[in-house]
Amino acid sequence: MKRIAVVGASLAGVRAAQELRAQGYDGGIVLIGAEPHLPYDRPPLSKGFLAGTASRESLDLLDTSDLASLALDFRLGVEATALEPANRRVVLSDGTSVHADGVVLATGGRARTLPGFEGAFVLRTVDDALALRAALLPGARVVVVGAGFIGAEVASTCRSLGLDVVVLEALEAPLAPVLGPALAGVCARLHRDHGTDLRCGVQVAGLSPAGVSLASGEVVPADVVVTGVGMTPATAWLAGSGLKVGNGVHTDEGLVTSLPSVVAVGDVARYGGRRHEHWTNASEQAPVAVANLLAGHTTRTYVPSGYVWSDQYSGTLQLAGHPRPDDTLTFVEGDASSPSFAATFTRDGVTVGVCAWNNAKLFNRLRRPLRQAAAV
């Protein structure tokens, strides 16, 4: 392969470029990004960057030495509009195209929006964060729709700025399908302990001049409304490419699409019927996808670690493995009401996950057998 196009200047895209060089590829690498910015890290957008305590430069994924060693051909501020495998070409929105013998799809996605919430803030890009940060004026009343990780982190940051915050969640408990009832209760308690008005089991209807209208007819007053209801994989541009898409780009367990010269990584990759939207997943997939791309067929398979973390209010929630809400949760240290704890999830007597709140040391120890099992 003389040239490889990495479509998406995201964490997954950058890791893929780094891995190409690490695995000995010395051909051309074109990194295509829809945003005009150099690649940056997204997790701080809902935390320090939104609060104004982290600089724009601190988000950068590449430093000067990286830029020199990777020898990337950047095409930033342009979107990929078509993939033409027969012509080995990626067509761009500015009318140009990139010829490539191999393609890494790392396009991620866009923040999902809700009908009736046109004009509400979302948080996916650095520009989203800048726009929201400018609106968080002293005394502003903030309503966050969605109590997932992004919603919880935005609420936490807004409370740290001294703002009144209401979080509206359709589920009976935040993150219950992911964490199970006990840990969902921990997340609910965190909101309430820090002065956030968490309202679960409510259905929103849309924006009104005064705030957020609920299906019940009630209006929740708001000066700033943020929706955090997930993301939509960026796959529309692949129409006509021959690739199978639907809730992401479909790949095998090695992140290889139906075309051996095209692999997918990050939030957009649906491997073996699964798709994960986590920072760790985007970072860990690159070595496998790149190895298979360079080999021309699937030689390695990807086994996700399932590691997720979220900084909320006074601490950090960590989760690893692949637990289900109905798994047995056993506290190894502390309990659900403790300022710190660590626990395991078991299924049929086998540990399938670990979690912790403000207890990184014990979490890492409990997580070690999961890592060893994944390696095997």
Side-chain angles (χ1 to χ4, degrees):
M1 293 185 179
K2 293 184 178 180
R3 179 185 290 175
I4 293 175
V6 179
V7 187
S10 57
L11 169 69
V14 168
R15 292 289 184 264
Q18 292 172 327
E19 197 61 35
L20 282 165
R21 296 304 187 209
Q23 294 190 27
Y25 177 73
D26 59 3
I29 302 176
V30 182
L31 186 63
I32 301 165
E35 297 181 61
H37 314 289
L38 284 169
Y40 59 87
D41 208 14
R42 296 186 189 277
L45 295 182
S46 58
K47 309 176 188 76
F49 187 74
L50 183 60
T53 58
S55 68
R56 169 64 187 84
E57 292 72 25
S58 69
L59 307 182
D60 289 341
L61 288 170
L62 297 170
D63 58 25
T64 304
S65 61
D66 291 322
L67 294 172
S69 62
L70 294 175
L72 302 177
D73 177 2
F74 285 100
R75 308 289 177 90
L76 301 177
V78 293
E79 294 188 48
T81 57
L83 175 63
E84 299 178 353
N87 299 322
R88 298 185 180 183
R89 186 168 70 154
V90 178
V91 182
L92 305 181
S93 59
D94 62 359
T96 65
S97 62
V98 174
H99 181 276
D101 305 302
V103 177
V104 179
L105 302 176
T107 48
R110 295 177 174 82
R112 184 176 290 121
T113 56
L114 292 173
F117 280 82
E118 294 77 12
F121 291 94
V122 296
L123 188 56
R124 179 75 185 175
T125 69
V126 67
D127 292 329
D128 292 337
L130 287 170
L132 176 57
R133 189 167 76 181
L136 299 179
L137 301 175
R141 298 167 298 177
V142 180
V143 171
V144 179
V145 180
F149 288 126
I150 289 295
E153 290 170 3
V154 169
S156 171
T157 298
C158 289
R159 285 297 298 142
S160 75
L161 297 174
L163 305 178
D164 291 334
V165 181
V166 177
V167 176
L168 305 175
E169 171 56 54
L171 299 174
E172 294 303 318
L175 291 163
V178 178
L179 302 177
L183 292 185
V186 171
C187 293
R189 175 174 55 81
L190 279 173
H191 286 298
R192 292 172 178 137
D193 286 352
H194 289 84
T196 297
D197 182 358
L198 173 65
R199 306 185 192 182
C200 292
V202 298
Q203 300 294 326
V204 296
L207 294 179
S208 75
V212 176
S213 297
L214 306 184
S216 64
E218 179 187 356
V219 175
V220 181
D223 303 302
V224 178
V225 178
V226 186
T227 57
V229 291
M231 54 82 76
T232 302
T235 59
W237 70 282
L238 293 169
S241 66
L243 297 180
K244 184 178 180 181
V245 299
N247 188 27
V249 177
H250 293 221
T251 75
D252 65 10
E253 296 285 357
L255 303 162
V256 180
T257 71
S258 56
L259 300 171
S261 61
V262 181
V263 298
V265 290
D267 292 355
V268 78
R270 184 178 179 185
Y271 56 100
R274 297 162 292 171
R275 190 176 64 79
H276 295 114
E277 300 172 8
H278 306 314
W279 188 97
T280 307
N281 201 64
S283 181
E284 291 176 340
Q285 287 180 339
V288 174
V290 164
N292 293 333
L293 178 64
L294 295 179
H297 61 280
T298 301
T299 63
R300 296 173 57 181
T301 57
Y302 174 62
V303 180
S305 68
Y307 177 64
V308 185
W309 85 94
S310 179
D311 296 324
Q312 300 178 28
Y313 300 104
S314 57
T316 300
L317 177 69
Q318 293 175 285
L319 178 70
H322 304 282
R324 298 192 304 236
D326 57 346
D327 290 333
T328 300
L329 179 68
T330 303
F331 286 91
V332 178
E333 184 173 289
D335 56 42
S337 62
S338 302
S340 71
F341 63 75
T344 61
F345 294 91
T346 56
R347 186 186 313 146
D348 300 326
V350 177
T351 299
V352 294
V354 300
C355 65
W357 171 252
N358 284 345
N359 199 333
K361 185 176 181 179
L362 184 52
F363 173 83
N364 288 328
R365 181 164 65 82
L366 294 172
R367 182 189 178 192
R368 197 171 299 125
L370 293 178
R371 285 176 162 171
Q372 293 168 346
V376 172

